[in-house]
């Protein structure tokens, strides 16, 4: 007789209540309602149109759909800034017409002849280096460069309503993917932290990598060989290649997204959903469609929308806020995963936290705080109002752990109850304070 | 003041005990121990070598690593069978030297000139059709073709010890990927059901797809254009392209896997693990390395193994069983996800099950049975001995649901307690019987 042992017992209670307002930055209206209706349809187990979790694939364009693409696509801005940064060490680049055009401020000429100038600049800035080198250059640029109009990091010119939409879909067990004409490696640097989308769910344009062992060490080098442009008909091709499943939801903003919208919504045996972000808001962002000065031309996809049943978002009408900074500034800075670095409250005389015992707080846009006490999982809600921060009753699992960790758990749960306000410290640090303004907890952004 | 609502409260209790024997088809020895030691090292939260869940990427070759590649790679056998099947409708193919060689039984000549003949046969069988057509041809072949030596479906010439290894890694929150020289589309047809690996985690060789709207409907066509061969240096390239993270564990069996083994294990900032399956068992499978009559040449990777610290599996010594059929036949047929179709036990007079109320049973190779009662999650252990089947005490969550579902839950839990034996019915159906041999439950394979 065979004997078996339990490896893992997982008891999961999922309170399957719908959020009363899952998309707070969306104005009530047809666009918002169409999203919620679709998600309800495919997730209700008693519905004819129920779609199993494995098949809940949602694909998003990036430029103009998740973040701003004006006055230039942000990756082009990166390439231009990189050229300027590296020019002193590469004076011969000045003989290159594309570089000369850039230096003389003639950015428009870079787009002539099917972006030949831009592609040349890409070759100078996106090839001949390792992916690690490229990643750190992008990271440095993101930390220093500012958007010319909004005067903030490019990481912040992302659309708050779309962040909420990504989160809403994931809460409903969709797998969210980016399928963008932008560079795959470029997006992977920031997309996990910014959008909650891991590298393996990001499809973009790419050149073939070269692999070698150099001095006995593995080395990859970026090239522009066999360049795959993930745009127009390339998008459904890439979806089939990378995902191998047909999406049931597709979000874009330009004619470059039309093929993947069609692939998602026409003749799909599953219920499907398509949505186009129409940039109609010159005051808060930009207004463009048929004749944009940057990327994002939108004509045929907009014409096709009524016939195809695609939702068209009128940015001006449908979005309460555009960028996270227009939403609650403090709240948007809190959203994400934090690691508890110090707890001041103590019954036991213990201070600090145990090395590598991960006590965490995850703030979600839907008002949920959850994480690990370091022994147990917990979850509850929280309120932010200006600099005020309070937590509701937390539900926790009831596992036992080593004494030092149980002590830390108790101190954490006790400290959380006393939190009344918060303040940001040095970059990446937040402090929680009690009502006498004593710092009771210090956390670092994960 | 902003108001928030809890969308989802998840309480998860994870009993973090190690299985006493997570790899039952592996003999005790250095190979098995090295796997367990590595997994323990990277998953222990108090360990210096702890690796966060997001970075637990494990990559597996397929041919010769997860399934048999003799006497021909199985996909080549598929191509040959397809040629024979379609030849009557395509008599002109006879003028093709590769087809003529095949008909005359001169399979060896197909491999001459860098497999030129095989590639020609691939073009005839793997291109010019839609992915859906291709998938259904592969599915049909898998249902009918038999392995020439083992006289069973090609789905069954998979390695039981590697199935257990995949499951063991996933239990420890690894994401398991296939990175194979085989065709990506070919593997995606069976890999999810066979290995538990979804399409989006399968990387293989591929030709570019063509996308068109035909008669207003989206149409993809397979081509051999821009053929990407996912072998040798192509493997680390594909890993970077598709996953965008460096794996920490790599499993292969030939020199074609050496580059990805090196990429995984040399100079990796994380702890890493490499393993080579050495085919040493002519009795139970095949014995080959430096001079194989099929694919799978293993020379330089085997030489490099000691220096690199790679584990070498001696199939004959290290594997208790090779194929699932040598393991417990009944058990291996039960493993997987089942949907309860009918419950005969009733206190309430109710029979049957509520439409779309999913009561499920997942049998895992580690002896755990888990699933949904239709309202709550449950988990416990089970025993199989011949046709005997019994369940241990089940732990369940304690949510309330609609009356009809609560009734179904009660009937399910009551019926499970009475189960004493099982028997397979029509294809894809199993019945559970009580000790008087009454059928108390009917389930269908999901």
């Amino acid at each position: 007789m065979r004997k078996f042992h339990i490896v893992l017992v997982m008891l999961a209670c999922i309170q399957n209540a719908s959020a009363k307002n899952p998309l707070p930055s969306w104005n009530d209206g047809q666009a918002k309602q169409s999203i919620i209706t679709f998600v309800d349809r495919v997730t209700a187990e008693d519905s004819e149109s129920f779609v199993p979790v494995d098949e809940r694939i949602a694909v998003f364009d990036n430029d103009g759909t998740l973040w701003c693409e004006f006055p230039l696509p942000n990756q082009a801005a990166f390439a231009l800034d990189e050229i300027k940064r590296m020019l002193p060490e590469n004076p011969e680049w000045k003989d290159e017409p594309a570089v000369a055009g850039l230096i003389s401020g003639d950015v428009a000429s870079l787009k002539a002849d099917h972006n030949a100038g831009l592609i040349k600049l890409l070759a100078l800035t996106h090839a001949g280096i390792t992916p690690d080198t490229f990643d750190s250059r992008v990271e440095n640029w993101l930390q220093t460069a500012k958007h010319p109009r909004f005067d903030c990091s490019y990481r912040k010119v992302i659309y708050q309503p779309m962040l909420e939409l990504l989160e809403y879909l994931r809460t409903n067990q969709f797998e969210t993917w980016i399928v963008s004409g932008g560079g795959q490696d470029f997006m992977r640097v920031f997309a996990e932290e910014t959008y909650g989308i891991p590298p393996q769910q990001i499809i973009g344009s790419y050149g073939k990598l070269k692999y070698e062992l150099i001095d006995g060490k593995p080395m990859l080098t970026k090239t522009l060989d066999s360049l795959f442009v993930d745009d127009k008909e390339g998008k459904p091709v890439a979806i089939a290649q990378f995902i191998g499943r047909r999406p049931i939801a597709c979000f874009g903003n330009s004619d470059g997204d039309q093929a993947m919208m069609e692939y998602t919504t026409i003749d799909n045996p599953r219920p499907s959903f398509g949505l186009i972000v129409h940039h109609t808001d010159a005051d808060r962002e930009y207004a463009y469609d048929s004749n944009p000065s940057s990327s994002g031309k939108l004509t045929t996809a907009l014409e096709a929308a009524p016939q195809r049943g695609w939702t068209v978002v009128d940015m001006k009408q449908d979005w309460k806020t555009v960028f996270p900074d227009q939403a609650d500034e403090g709240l948007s800075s809190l959203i994400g995963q934090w690691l508890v670095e110090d707890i001041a409250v103590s019954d036991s005389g213990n201070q600090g936290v145990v090395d590598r015992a991960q006590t965490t707080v995850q703030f979600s846009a839907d008002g949920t705080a959850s994480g690990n006490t370091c022994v147990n999982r917990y979850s509850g809600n929280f309120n932010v109002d200006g600099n005020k921060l309070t937590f509701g009753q937390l539900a926790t699992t009831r596992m036992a752990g080593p004494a030092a960790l149980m002590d830390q758990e108790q101190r954490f749960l006790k400290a959380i109850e006393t939190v009344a306000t918060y303040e940001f410290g040095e970059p990446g640090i937040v402090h929680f304070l009690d009502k006498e303004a004593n710092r009771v907890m210090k956390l670092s952004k994960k």
Side-chain angles (χ1 to χ4, degrees), chain A residues 53-67:
Chain A
V53 168
D54 286 351
E55 298 184 35
R56 293 185 202 159
I57 303 285
V59 290
F60 288 79
D61 170 57
N62 184 40
D63 294 310
T65 299
L66 296 178
W67 76 352

Side-chain angles (χ1 to χ4, degrees), chain A residues 134-135 138-139 142 155 184-191:
Chain A
F134 179 77
D135 290 356
V138 175
E139 185 60 57
L142 285 168
R155 277 182 195 274
Q184 189 160 284
D185 292 349
F186 182 77
M187 294 185 285
R188 284 173 172 173
V189 175
F190 60 88

